[in-house]
Amino acid sequence: MFSMSTVPVSTEPVVELFVTQSAGPSERTLLVIHGGPDWDHTYLREPLDRLAGRRRIVLPDLRGCGRSTRGLASEQYTPAAATGDLAVVLDALDSAQADVLGFSYGGLIAQRFALEFPERVRRLVIASSSVLPVPGNAFEGWHERTERLAAENVVWSDPALSGAELTRAAAVASASTNVWRAQVLPDYLDRLAGIQFSGEWLRPWKAGMLPDPRPADAAQRLASLGLPLLLLHGRQDMIFPASLADETAGLIPSARAVILEEAGHMAHIDQPGAWLEAVNDFLT
């Protein structure tokens, strides 16, 4: 169902992105940008694989992630560089225009992509992410979130962990934070086991060198584009509050928010059918 290739995106330095794509018409390409960023794309394949054939699903690993080029200097891991890489991927796939879905951190990259290359984006999906900054008190008083975060906080403070080992350990420890429904936790853990984690973006982040991925004045600038925008969110998201999706939809006339009940940050795992239906309805 999916084919795999490497796409050269830079010569100085040399960077190749690992890209998985499904069969489907090139004029109905859906570019999917994973989060992390030190994850890979694989946790997003399902349920998007159900659209294969009707749409060409393109899932790259960002530079430094998964099976894409690693070992670059810390200053080469930036949101701007990742954004430019994705434009080259579309060029290589002969896609002048595509629908774009950005998940979590990838949602911030997707916004940057739409603002830098608006002519290349037909429709934009921001999933489990936010256009507006997250207020410092956004989760105040949510005691269950505090309890679920405790295990992850222990991992991040463990001096014995570093690099990809730290990224993986934090992902596993935060599993009950990222999915809301206990019955989907085994599926989520299985997906985590298959991810090729890295620590490449962790290096500049820990050194204070990683630029803010959030575009300045994103809501105002996206509104001026008039680009059709879907804000797809889980009601119980503990990373980006769902309230920001509704607030953003009120600021951008071309945007609409879909909030899925009984769904956390990994809303596509908590509620795969409803999540995919929202994506498909928006893109159709």
Side-chain angles (χ1 to χ4, degrees), residues 20 33 39 46 50 57 65 74 79 110 132 136 145 153 191 198 216-217 224 228 231 244 265 272 275 279-280:
T20 295
I33 309 172
W39 294 37
E46 299 176 27
R50 301 178 201 171
I57 313 300
C65 303
S74 291
L132 298 174
R145 177 178 182 269
N153 291 337
R191 297 198 199 194
S198 77
D217 303 317
S224 69
L231 304 157
L244 292 184
H265 187 59
W275 189 90
V279 171
N280 190 50

Short mmCIF file of all heavy atoms in Angstrom, two decimals, residues 20 33 39 46 50 57 65 74 79 110 132 136 145 153 191 198 216-217 224 228 231 244 265 272 275 279-280:
data_model
loop_
_atom_site.label_atom_id
_atom_site.label_comp_id
_atom_site.label_asym_id
_atom_site.label_seq_id
_atom_site.Cartn_x
_atom_site.Cartn_y
_atom_site.Cartn_z
N THR A 20 7.47 8.14 2.88
CA THR A 20 6.53 7.06 2.60
C THR A 20 5.33 7.67 1.89
O THR A 20 4.84 8.73 2.31
CB THR A 20 6.07 6.38 3.89
OG1 THR A 20 7.19 5.74 4.50
CG2 THR A 20 5.01 5.33 3.63
N ILE A 33 2.62 16.10 8.17
CA ILE A 33 3.82 16.53 8.90
C ILE A 33 3.71 16.04 10.34
O ILE A 33 2.82 16.46 11.08
CB ILE A 33 3.97 18.05 8.86
CG1 ILE A 33 3.86 18.57 7.42
CG2 ILE A 33 5.31 18.47 9.47
CD1 ILE A 33 3.80 20.08 7.31
N TRP A 39 10.44 12.36 16.60
CA TRP A 39 9.71 11.14 16.34
C TRP A 39 9.87 10.82 14.85
O TRP A 39 10.71 11.42 14.18
CB TRP A 39 8.23 11.31 16.70
CG TRP A 39 7.95 11.50 18.16
CD1 TRP A 39 8.69 12.20 19.07
CD2 TRP A 39 6.82 11.01 18.89
NE1 TRP A 39 8.11 12.17 20.31
CE2 TRP A 39 6.96 11.45 20.22
CE3 TRP A 39 5.72 10.25 18.53
CZ2 TRP A 39 6.02 11.14 21.21
CZ3 TRP A 39 4.77 9.94 19.50
CH2 TRP A 39 4.93 10.37 20.83
N GLU A 46 -2.06 5.21 10.54
CA GLU A 46 -3.44 4.81 10.78
C GLU A 46 -4.15 5.93 11.53
O GLU A 46 -3.57 6.47 12.49
CB GLU A 46 -3.51 3.53 11.61
CG GLU A 46 -2.86 2.32 10.95
CD GLU A 46 -2.88 1.12 11.88
OE1 GLU A 46 -3.78 1.04 12.74
OE2 GLU A 46 -1.98 0.29 11.76
N ARG A 50 -6.51 4.58 5.33
CA ARG A 50 -7.82 4.27 4.74
C ARG A 50 -8.15 5.20 3.57
O ARG A 50 -9.06 4.92 2.79
CB ARG A 50 -8.91 4.36 5.81
CG ARG A 50 -8.72 3.42 6.98
CD ARG A 50 -9.81 3.61 8.02
NE ARG A 50 -9.41 3.12 9.34
CZ ARG A 50 -10.11 3.31 10.45
NH1 ARG A 50 -11.27 3.96 10.39
NH2 ARG A 50 -9.66 2.85 11.61
N ILE A 57 -1.20 9.85 -0.07
CA ILE A 57 -0.79 10.24 1.27
C ILE A 57 0.74 10.26 1.30
O ILE A 57 1.38 9.24 1.03
CB ILE A 57 -1.31 9.26 2.33
CG1 ILE A 57 -2.80 8.94 2.11
CG2 ILE A 57 -1.07 9.80 3.73
CD1 ILE A 57 -3.70 10.15 2.18
N CYS A 65 15.08 13.03 11.87
CA CYS A 65 14.05 12.18 12.45
C CYS A 65 13.92 10.87 11.68
O CYS A 65 14.14 10.84 10.46
CB CYS A 65 12.70 12.90 12.45
SG CYS A 65 12.71 14.47 13.32
N SER A 74 23.82 21.31 15.23
CA SER A 74 22.59 21.72 15.93
C SER A 74 21.89 22.87 15.24
O SER A 74 20.65 22.92 15.21
CB SER A 74 22.93 22.12 17.37
OG SER A 74 23.32 20.99 18.13
N PRO A 79 12.89 25.14 12.51
CA PRO A 79 11.59 25.08 11.82
C PRO A 79 11.68 25.61 10.39
O PRO A 79 11.01 25.08 9.49
CB PRO A 79 10.70 25.96 12.70
CG PRO A 79 11.33 25.91 14.05
CD PRO A 79 12.80 25.85 13.80
N ALA A 110 3.37 23.22 9.72
CA ALA A 110 2.37 23.35 8.66
C ALA A 110 1.92 24.80 8.51
O ALA A 110 1.70 25.28 7.38
CB ALA A 110 1.18 22.45 8.96
N LEU A 132 -2.95 29.84 18.09
CA LEU A 132 -2.69 30.82 19.14
C LEU A 132 -1.72 30.26 20.17
O LEU A 132 -1.68 29.05 20.41
CB LEU A 132 -4.01 31.19 19.83
CG LEU A 132 -5.08 31.84 18.96
CD1 LEU A 132 -6.38 32.00 19.74
CD2 LEU A 132 -4.60 33.18 18.42
N GLY A 136 -0.11 30.45 29.91
CA GLY A 136 0.57 29.77 31.00
C GLY A 136 -0.38 29.09 31.97
O GLY A 136 -0.01 28.11 32.62
N ARG A 145 -4.64 15.90 34.83
CA ARG A 145 -3.50 16.15 33.95
C ARG A 145 -2.19 16.14 34.76
O ARG A 145 -1.19 15.55 34.33
CB ARG A 145 -3.65 17.49 33.23
CG ARG A 145 -2.47 17.86 32.35
CD ARG A 145 -2.71 19.19 31.64
NE ARG A 145 -1.60 19.53 30.76
CZ ARG A 145 -0.54 20.25 31.12
NH1 ARG A 145 -0.44 20.69 32.39
NH2 ARG A 145 0.42 20.52 30.26
N ASN A 153 7.53 13.63 33.82
CA ASN A 153 8.42 14.59 34.48
C ASN A 153 9.61 13.90 35.12
O ASN A 153 10.73 14.43 35.12
CB ASN A 153 7.64 15.39 35.52
CG ASN A 153 6.63 16.34 34.90
OD1 ASN A 153 6.77 16.73 33.74
ND2 ASN A 153 5.60 16.71 35.65
N ARG A 191 2.41 1.38 18.80
CA ARG A 191 2.90 2.36 17.81
C ARG A 191 4.21 2.99 18.28
O ARG A 191 5.12 3.19 17.47
CB ARG A 191 1.84 3.43 17.55
CG ARG A 191 0.56 2.91 16.95
CD ARG A 191 -0.26 4.00 16.32
NE ARG A 191 -1.65 3.58 16.16
CZ ARG A 191 -2.53 4.21 15.41
NH1 ARG A 191 -2.18 5.29 14.74
NH2 ARG A 191 -3.78 3.78 15.32
N SER A 198 14.73 9.82 17.70
CA SER A 198 16.07 10.40 17.67
C SER A 198 16.18 11.42 18.80
O SER A 198 15.21 11.70 19.50
CB SER A 198 16.34 11.06 16.31
OG SER A 198 15.69 12.33 16.23
N ALA A 216 4.89 34.25 13.96
CA ALA A 216 4.38 35.46 14.59
C ALA A 216 3.05 35.86 13.95
O ALA A 216 2.89 35.74 12.73
CB ALA A 216 5.39 36.59 14.44
N ASP A 217 2.10 36.29 14.78
CA ASP A 217 0.80 36.77 14.29
C ASP A 217 0.13 35.77 13.36
O ASP A 217 -0.46 36.14 12.33
CB ASP A 217 0.96 38.12 13.59
CG ASP A 217 1.61 39.18 14.46
OD1 ASP A 217 1.23 39.27 15.64
OD2 ASP A 217 2.49 39.89 13.97
N SER A 224 -5.76 36.43 6.61
CA SER A 224 -5.59 37.24 5.40
C SER A 224 -5.44 36.38 4.15
O SER A 224 -5.74 36.84 3.04
CB SER A 224 -4.37 38.16 5.55
OG SER A 224 -3.16 37.42 5.53
N PRO A 228 -8.82 27.67 3.38
CA PRO A 228 -9.68 26.79 4.16
C PRO A 228 -8.86 26.06 5.23
O PRO A 228 -7.85 25.43 4.92
CB PRO A 228 -10.24 25.81 3.12
CG PRO A 228 -10.16 26.55 1.82
CD PRO A 228 -8.92 27.39 1.92
N LEU A 231 -9.39 22.98 12.20
CA LEU A 231 -8.73 22.85 13.50
C LEU A 231 -9.32 21.62 14.17
O LEU A 231 -10.45 21.65 14.66
CB LEU A 231 -8.97 24.11 14.33
CG LEU A 231 -8.52 25.42 13.65
CD1 LEU A 231 -9.26 26.61 14.20
CD2 LEU A 231 -7.02 25.60 13.77
N LEU A 244 -8.52 26.59 22.52
CA LEU A 244 -7.84 27.45 21.55
C LEU A 244 -8.33 27.21 20.13
O LEU A 244 -8.27 28.11 19.29
CB LEU A 244 -6.32 27.25 21.63
CG LEU A 244 -5.63 27.72 22.89
CD1 LEU A 244 -4.12 27.53 22.78
CD2 LEU A 244 -5.95 29.18 23.19
N HIS A 265 -4.60 14.12 23.21
CA HIS A 265 -3.71 14.69 22.22
C HIS A 265 -3.63 13.80 20.98
O HIS A 265 -3.64 14.29 19.85
CB HIS A 265 -2.31 14.86 22.84
CG HIS A 265 -1.35 15.60 21.98
ND1 HIS A 265 -1.57 16.88 21.53
CD2 HIS A 265 -0.14 15.23 21.46
CE1 HIS A 265 -0.54 17.28 20.79
NE2 HIS A 265 0.32 16.28 20.73
N PRO A 272 -10.45 7.16 16.09
CA PRO A 272 -9.97 7.12 14.71
C PRO A 272 -11.05 7.33 13.65
O PRO A 272 -10.82 8.02 12.65
CB PRO A 272 -9.34 5.72 14.59
CG PRO A 272 -9.96 4.92 15.69
CD PRO A 272 -10.20 5.89 16.80
N TRP A 275 -12.20 11.01 13.73
CA TRP A 275 -11.06 11.85 13.30
C TRP A 275 -10.90 11.79 11.79
O TRP A 275 -10.79 12.82 11.12
CB TRP A 275 -9.81 11.37 14.01
CG TRP A 275 -8.59 12.24 13.87
CD1 TRP A 275 -8.23 13.28 14.68
CD2 TRP A 275 -7.55 12.12 12.88
NE1 TRP A 275 -7.03 13.82 14.26
CE2 TRP A 275 -6.60 13.14 13.16
CE3 TRP A 275 -7.35 11.28 11.81
CZ2 TRP A 275 -5.45 13.32 12.38
CZ3 TRP A 275 -6.21 11.45 11.02
CH2 TRP A 275 -5.27 12.46 11.32
N VAL A 279 -11.40 14.72 8.74
CA VAL A 279 -10.37 15.04 7.73
C VAL A 279 -10.94 14.85 6.33
O VAL A 279 -10.81 15.74 5.47
CB VAL A 279 -9.13 14.15 7.93
CG1 VAL A 279 -8.14 14.33 6.76
CG2 VAL A 279 -8.43 14.50 9.25
N ASN A 280 -11.56 13.71 6.08
CA ASN A 280 -12.05 13.41 4.74
C ASN A 280 -13.14 14.38 4.31
O ASN A 280 -13.15 14.86 3.15
CB ASN A 280 -12.58 11.97 4.69
CG ASN A 280 -12.88 11.52 3.29
OD1 ASN A 280 -12.07 11.65 2.38
ND2 ASN A 280 -14.08 10.99 3.10
#
